Amino acid sequence: MNHTIKYIAVMLLLSLTAITIHGQSPMSLYFMETIPQSHHDNAAMAPRANAYISVVSFNYSLFSDVSMKDFLQQSGSEWVTPLHKNFDYGEFYDVIGDALNMGTRGDISALGFGFSSGRDYFSFQFSEKAVIQAGFSSDFFKLPDAGLPKGAMFDFSTMRLKAYAYKEFSIGYARELTDRLTVGVHVKPLFGQAIGMTDISNMSLSIGENQYDIRVNGDIYTSLPMEVYSKSGEFPDSIKFKDLEGDDYLNNYGTSFSNPGLALDFGGEYKFSDRWTFSAALNNLGFIQWNEDLNALHAEGTYAYDGVEVSASNWDDLGDVFNDVADELKETLSYNHTHDGFTSGLTPNMYLGAQYHVNHAISFGGLSRTTFQKQNWRQEFALSLNYNSYRFMALNVNLNTRIKGSTYMGACTMWYMGPLQVFVMIDNVPFHLDNYYDENGNKTQIPGEFKDLNLMAGVNLVFGSKGFRDKPMIGRNK
């Protein structure tokens, strides 16, 4: 297997830098008071409308710790990849830290509505959601960099993969407790449709004088339409996916209410003065209990492989080593295949916001978003200029930055056509393109620093949408 390890590393990098189909909703949404979906980010932010119907909306997002510019490095007059001897791995490690993380999410929402009643606001929303989250240990990329020198230690324990899809029913309630303080909550029954995830406690490789010591302790969990065939204590022999067509697929996965779960969102908004408003929200505190089409595989053990020192330039030997080790691990590790149920958690996030109102329509906003994910804490900040006329249109422009990510401009626009409301927003507008020249001198322009994308669009029917902040459009029964 010539160049095996390098090609694996390159393909993983390509999967991280390519734009494929959660992340999060765009940061642009939070202060857009005239768009009903803004209360998805903060349950206390009741939409500025007496009532609304959400016809349809979709949200797509992705993030990656590396950009094309990190993957395609410029060396003199040429661009090089990790396959090239001049690739600077030190610079690459500075970017990814302990682990290279990526994630993507898509969701479609429909059948939503909301209405006010005195100081209270009630809402409901149905959504279909799909999430992919992955992380790769930085030590994985040291294999094509350094090879397998004696005395080296590689820790792959931060490697993980989680991909799942589920249905969500969100029941929202917000109440204006006082003229200054509003609180809200979303109660969200969940129903899982499919999942595949890993949970690795330990995976390491130590290079000794005469042998490689490998330690493994981890699990793989799935809830998928497949049959796994294995003998007791051995690695599975084969996997066969079920043939599902038409009504079978719809009944088993599309409309099924198996794999139940629950999530909660909490929000608060405090009007410090006529000019200043502060807010906070904690979202996606929840879980899904999987109990259908279950397969769980636990692998544990230690294995010593007699080998020789392998340098990074000797790809044939390195490939042979990993082929031999993979075959031996199937035979020597202890495996336990079960059909027991398991629980998966969601990815919580926290918002902290401050808004300064210049007048009835114009405001400035500052927003912090923290995402809590195992071995992948993420922090984002945004500054925005918001225009909410409450009559025919709304605009937002914002500057966003993510720690260990990128800094970019975002924008949102919303238009009224009678009760019909249409909105589009994007958090990353690629204003700058880098020139890439291949070995033949042909030029290609790429968004070299692209790491994040958040895109959202939707159509609503909004009723009772006109008014000013000091004359709220929602009538209050004091």
Side-chain angles (χ1 to χ4, degrees):
M1 290 182 64
N2 190 29
H3 301 289
T4 300
I5 304 304
K6 270 196 173 180
Y7 279 121
I8 291 175
V10 170
M11 292 307 295
L12 286 172
L13 283 170
L14 284 174
S15 72
L16 295 174
T17 54
I19 302 177
T20 59
I21 253 276
H22 151 307
Q24 320 282 346
S25 59
M27 300 280 271
S28 308
L29 178 64
Y30 194 85
F31 294 117
M32 296 304 290
E33 302 168 352
T34 52
I35 298 177
Q37 282 77 4
S38 62
H39 79 90
H40 293 176
D41 289 343
N42 189 323
M45 290 183 169
R48 301 281 176 183
N50 290 331
Y52 73 90
I53 297 174
S54 174
V55 180
V56 66
S57 66
F58 77 90
N59 178 27
Y60 166 70
S61 61
L62 88 89
F63 78 91
S64 171
D65 287 343
V66 295
S67 66
M68 288 296 292
K69 206 167 184 178
D70 299 319
F71 174 65
L72 296 172
Q73 296 180 0
Q74 191 166 13
S75 177
S77 60
E78 62 179 345
W79 290 81
V80 298
T81 71
L83 291 172
H84 198 280
K85 64 180 180 180
N86 292 335
F87 187 82
D88 186 351
Y89 275 96
E91 181 179 321
F92 185 74
Y93 297 145
D94 290 340
V95 173
I96 67 174
D98 293 334
L100 192 160
N101 299 293
M102 63 88 69
T104 183
R105 165 181 166 175
D107 61 67
I108 298 177
S109 300
L111 305 177
F113 62 86
F115 60 92
S116 65
S117 177
R119 289 178 174 266
D120 303 319
Y121 207 99
F122 301 89
S123 63
F124 173 83
Q125 184 71 61
F126 168 74
S127 303
E128 282 275 356
K129 300 189 175 186
V131 181
I132 300 175
Q133 299 166 339
F136 301 92
S137 168
S138 61
D139 281 8
F140 175 84
F141 300 97
K142 293 177 182 178
L143 296 175
D145 178 19
L148 300 174
K150 292 180 180 179
M153 167 69 181
F154 300 91
D155 186 358
F156 308 119
S157 301
T158 56
M159 295 184 67
R160 66 194 179 282
L161 175 64
K162 185 178 182 181
Y164 60 106
Y166 64 98
K167 299 189 292 285
E168 176 184 285
F169 297 87
S170 177
I171 303 166
Y173 173 70
R175 179 168 179 81
E176 189 180 78
L177 296 179
T178 69
D179 290 341
R180 294 183 179 274
L181 179 63
T182 302
V183 297
V185 62
H186 294 150
V187 179
K188 301 188 293 189
L190 312 175
F191 298 94
Q193 295 168 300
I195 188 173
M197 72 175 190
T198 62
D199 185 7
I200 299 174
S201 300
N202 182 24
M203 182 183 292
S204 62
L205 171 63
S206 301
I207 313 301
E209 286 293 328
N210 299 308
Q211 67 182 29
Y212 307 145
D213 293 316
I214 302 169
R215 294 175 177 82
V216 176
N217 187 350
D219 299 272
I220 299 175
Y221 300 98
T222 66
S223 175
L224 295 168
M226 67 181 188
E227 296 288 346
V228 178
Y229 301 94
S230 64
K231 297 178 181 179
S232 178
E234 297 183 4
F235 190 81
D237 297 324
S238 62
I239 297 174
K240 181 180 179 181
F241 282 87
K242 300 177 183 179
D243 294 327
L244 294 177
E245 297 181 359
D247 292 341
D248 289 337
Y249 179 84
L250 185 63
N251 292 334
N252 288 325
Y253 295 94
T255 60
S256 172
F257 291 94
S258 302
N259 308 313
L262 181 68
L264 297 173
D265 300 341
F266 300 97
E269 183 183 38
Y270 182 73
K271 299 175 182 177
F272 181 76
S273 67
D274 290 340
R275 298 290 186 182
W276 284 100
T277 300
F278 299 95
S279 58
L282 187 59
N283 301 333
N284 275 347
L285 298 172
F287 66 93
I288 299 175
Q289 178 65 47
W290 301 88
N291 50 36
E292 295 287 337
D293 292 327
L294 302 174
N295 284 283
L297 180 66
H298 177 76
E300 184 175 356
T302 302
Y303 170 66
Y305 172 79
D306 295 331
V308 297
E309 184 174 3
V310 179
S311 67
S313 60
N314 197 341
W315 299 109
D316 290 330
D317 287 347
L318 192 57
D320 291 340
V321 167
F322 275 84
N323 278 334
D324 293 342
V325 169
D327 291 336
E328 292 292 338
L329 288 178
K330 291 181 181 180
E331 304 297 330
T332 58
L333 293 183
S334 173
Y335 297 96
N336 183 26
H337 175 219
T338 68
H339 301 284
D340 297 334
F342 59 92
T343 301
S344 66
L346 302 185
T347 302
N349 54 57
M350 180 177 66
Y351 289 88
L352 297 174
Q355 190 175 17
Y356 178 79
H357 300 275
V358 178
N359 53 37
H360 299 307
I362 298 174
S363 69
F364 293 95
L367 183 63
S368 164
R369 179 167 64 192
T370 307
T371 302
F372 304 97
Q373 183 182 344
K374 183 179 180 181
Q375 298 168 335
N376 183 21
W377 170 86
R378 298 197 307 278
Q379 179 63 57
E380 300 165 273
F381 299 98
L383 295 174
S384 63
L385 171 62
N386 315 289
Y387 175 73
N388 287 282
S389 71
Y390 307 117
R391 282 180 167 81
F392 65 95
M393 67 173 296
L395 294 171
N396 167 289
V397 291
N398 54 82
L399 176 67
N400 305 277
T401 186
R402 175 168 65 87
I403 294 176
K404 215 172 85 168
S406 52
T407 299
Y408 46 88
M409 294 293 296
C412 170
T413 181
M414 180 278 292
W415 295 86
Y416 283 120
M417 290 168 278
L420 184 67
Q421 180 192 78
V422 179
F423 67 90
V424 178
M425 61 188 74
I426 184 172
D427 263 1
N428 192 336
V429 180
F431 289 108
H432 176 72
L433 297 176
D434 293 292
N435 295 325
Y436 166 72
Y437 296 90
D438 63 20
E439 58 185 8
N440 297 319
N442 299 316
K443 183 178 75 171
T444 301
Q445 289 190 312
I446 60 173
E449 298 181 357
F450 183 91
K451 292 185 179 182
D452 301 85
L453 175 66
N454 290 286
L455 175 65
M456 188 174 185
V459 177
N460 301 312
L461 295 173
V462 178
F463 307 99
S465 62
K466 296 180 174 61
F468 296 112
R469 284 192 61 86
D470 57 348
K471 297 179 182 178
M473 62 193 70
I474 302 172
R476 310 291 194 189
N477 294 326
K478 303 292 185 180

